[in-house]
């Protein structure tokens, strides 16, 4: 059956379901196209600044990441030290060829860290950032928490023979890795007196976004809940982490903090890729969004034309 005839004779419910899906893909692709174009323009047009002389406001920095003083950050699945991590634990549901993977735990680092470009240091608050790490590993195991990660030198045969009903994915940024950062920079010296309390509150709220990790860290009696006394311990530790990071640099009046801009149109990006590679990534995303919009937008419009234009029209 010719395609135009198929479209005209398709049951109404099936036609409108397919048309709606195609239109949604086209609309989403168009929105993505404009977003990626805007972000690409900002990345290309925002000049890189040196930390020591960087202006306040929306800036682009490049340097090396360093850990903050205090309790070290450790990736939950691999147990390896890092400045930032993101992880997911999935469990296999079903058996044989008919199975799905269900996310049972996920988390993301809330710890602040330093960026050092040789002229000075600034504090990076990664909350709300689009992070592009250099290291992402996926492996399988037999327990909810693996406790370790297979060596990166493991051969292909070893990777293919990994088994287990749990699948782990972990991304990390390790200390001393290069980092490209674009976001809002402000001087800590100009912060109001409530900054420490606000930062402690923000840190605790981010901890709460990963309840499993929060319980593992502060539920000392292992009853599955955080008691008032354990909350006091958590708050004391959060305040200590904030103060430790800031006291080390309190003598430096030029110490700055980079965080997510209030303007939603301006991206907050942390990437281990250099700027030129990041530009290629966003150009590729822009092209993919444009192709999807053209394909699904054209298909949607053509389907309407075939469905409702008179069969004998035009000839």
């Amino acid at each position: 059956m010719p395609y135009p005839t198929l479209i005209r004779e398709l049951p109404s419910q099936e036609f409108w379901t397919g048309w709606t899906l195609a239109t949604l893909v086209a609309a989403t692709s168009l929105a993505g196209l404009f977003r990626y174009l805007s972000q690409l323009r900002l990345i290309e047009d925002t000049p890189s600044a040196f930390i020591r002389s960087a202006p306040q406001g929306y800036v682009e920095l490049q340097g090396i990441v360093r850990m903050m003083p205090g309790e070290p950050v450790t990736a939950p699945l691999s147990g390896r030290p890092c400045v930032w991590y993101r992880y997911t634990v999935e469990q296999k549901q079903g058996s044989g060829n008919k199975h799905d993977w269900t996310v049972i735990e996920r988390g993301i680092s809330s710890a602040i860290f330093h960026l050092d470009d040789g002229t000075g240091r600034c504090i990076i608050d990664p909350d709300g950032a689009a992070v592009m790490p250099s290291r992402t590993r996926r492996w399988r195991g037999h327990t909810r928490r693996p406790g370790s990660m297979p060596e990166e030198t493991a051969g292909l045969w070893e990777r293919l023979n990994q088994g287990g009903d749990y699948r782990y994915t972990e991304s990390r940024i390790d200390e001393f890795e290069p980092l490209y950062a674009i976001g809002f920079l402000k001087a800590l010296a100009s912060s109001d007196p409530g900054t420490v309390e606000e930062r402690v509150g923000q840190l605790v709220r981010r901890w709460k976004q990963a309840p499993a990790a929060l319980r593992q860290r502060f539920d000392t009696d292992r009853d599955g809940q955080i008691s008032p006394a354990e909350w006091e311990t958590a708050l004391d530790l959060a305040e200590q982490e904030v103060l430790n990071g800031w006291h080390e640099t309190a003598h430096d009046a030029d110490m700055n903090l980079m965080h997510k801009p209030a303007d939603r149109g301006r991206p907050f990006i942390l990437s281990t890729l250099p700027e030129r590679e990041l530009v290629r990534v966003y150009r590729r995303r822009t092209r993919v969004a444009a192709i999807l919009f053209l394909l699904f937008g054209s298909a949607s419009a053509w389907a309407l034309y075939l469905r409702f234009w008179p069969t004998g029209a035009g000839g």
Side-chain angles (χ1 to χ4, degrees):
M1 181 184 296
Y3 185 72
T5 304
L6 177 64
I7 291 295
R8 293 189 182 100
E9 296 182 359
L10 199 65
S12 181
Q13 183 177 357
E14 295 181 18
F15 171 81
W16 286 114
T17 298
W19 182 86
T20 301
L21 290 175
T23 303
L24 284 174
V25 173
T28 303
S29 301
L30 182 61
L33 173 62
F34 283 116
R35 183 173 68 254
Y36 292 140
L37 277 174
S38 174
Q39 294 176 348
L40 176 60
R41 188 174 299 111
L42 282 170
I43 293 171
E44 290 181 317
D45 294 347
T46 304
S48 292
F50 292 112
I51 291 174
R52 184 164 297 280
S53 58
Q56 303 297 296
Y58 194 69
V59 299
E60 176 183 287
L61 303 173
Q62 299 184 60
I64 302 297
V65 293
R66 301 293 303 273
M67 285 188 180
M68 298 286 287
E71 185 178 353
V73 177
T74 303
L77 301 184
S78 66
R80 299 187 179 183
C82 58
V83 301
W84 179 91
Y85 63 78
R86 179 174 58 222
Y87 74 95
T88 303
V89 180
E90 301 167 276
Q91 187 173 19
K92 186 178 179 181
Q93 306 290 339
S95 59
N97 293 328
K98 295 183 178 180
H99 67 268
D100 294 312
W101 291 96
T102 302
V103 176
I104 59 173
E105 185 180 341
R106 58 160 50 99
I108 188 169
S109 172
S110 60
I112 54 180
F113 55 87
H114 275 141
L115 179 68
D116 188 334
D117 71 351
T119 70
R121 289 186 179 186
C122 79
I123 297 171
I124 302 292
D125 181 353
D127 187 31
V131 182
M132 299 182 182
S134 61
R135 303 173 187 273
T136 297
R137 292 288 308 278
R138 173 174 286 185
W139 72 102
R140 291 173 63 175
H142 300 278
T143 58
R144 180 169 180 146
R145 283 297 184 95
S148 62
M149 181 178 66
E151 293 296 327
E152 297 184 14
T153 55
L156 178 61
W157 180 253
E158 294 177 73
R159 296 179 186 178
L160 290 175
N161 280 276
Q162 287 177 359
D165 291 338
Y166 292 90
R167 185 167 67 184
Y168 320 107
T169 304
E170 182 179 273
S171 301
R172 302 193 323 270
I173 297 178
D174 292 342
E175 190 174 24
F176 302 115
E177 283 198 79
L179 187 76
Y180 168 92
I182 184 169
F184 191 86
L185 193 72
K186 71 174 182 181
L188 291 179
S190 64
S191 299
D192 58 80
T195 295
V196 173
E197 289 75 13
E198 292 172 3
R199 293 285 299 127
V200 169
Q202 292 169 7
L203 182 56
V204 171
R205 284 193 293 273
R206 291 200 297 274
W207 284 350
K208 288 181 178 179
Q209 293 173 5
L214 184 68
R215 287 193 298 270
Q216 183 182 16
R217 190 174 184 185
F218 298 111
D219 182 18
T220 55
D221 57 10
R222 301 306 178 200
D223 63 352
Q225 297 181 349
I226 306 294
S227 67
E230 290 165 343
W231 268 122
E232 282 296 324
T233 301
L235 290 174
D236 289 343
L237 182 58
E239 182 176 1
Q240 193 60 45
E241 286 191 12
V242 171
L243 292 176
N244 281 346
W246 288 1
H247 283 167
E248 185 194 56
T249 52
H251 66 281
D252 188 351
D254 296 326
M255 177 56 64
N256 294 317
L257 170 71
M258 176 176 279
H259 60 90
K260 183 178 181 180
D263 183 354
R264 297 181 61 182
R266 292 186 167 185
F268 180 29
I269 300 172
L270 303 175
S271 172
T272 55
L273 295 173
E275 183 179 3
R276 62 181 181 278
E277 295 296 329
L278 192 62
V279 167
R280 290 176 185 170
V281 169
Y282 274 86
R283 283 177 178 169
R284 185 164 58 248
R285 291 179 178 180
T286 300
R287 287 195 294 268
V288 170
I291 291 171
L292 289 175
F293 168 69
L294 291 174
L295 286 176
F296 284 90
S298 300
S300 178
W302 189 41
L304 282 179
Y305 171 81
L306 293 176
R307 184 82 175 186
F308 297 105
W309 192 262
T311 306

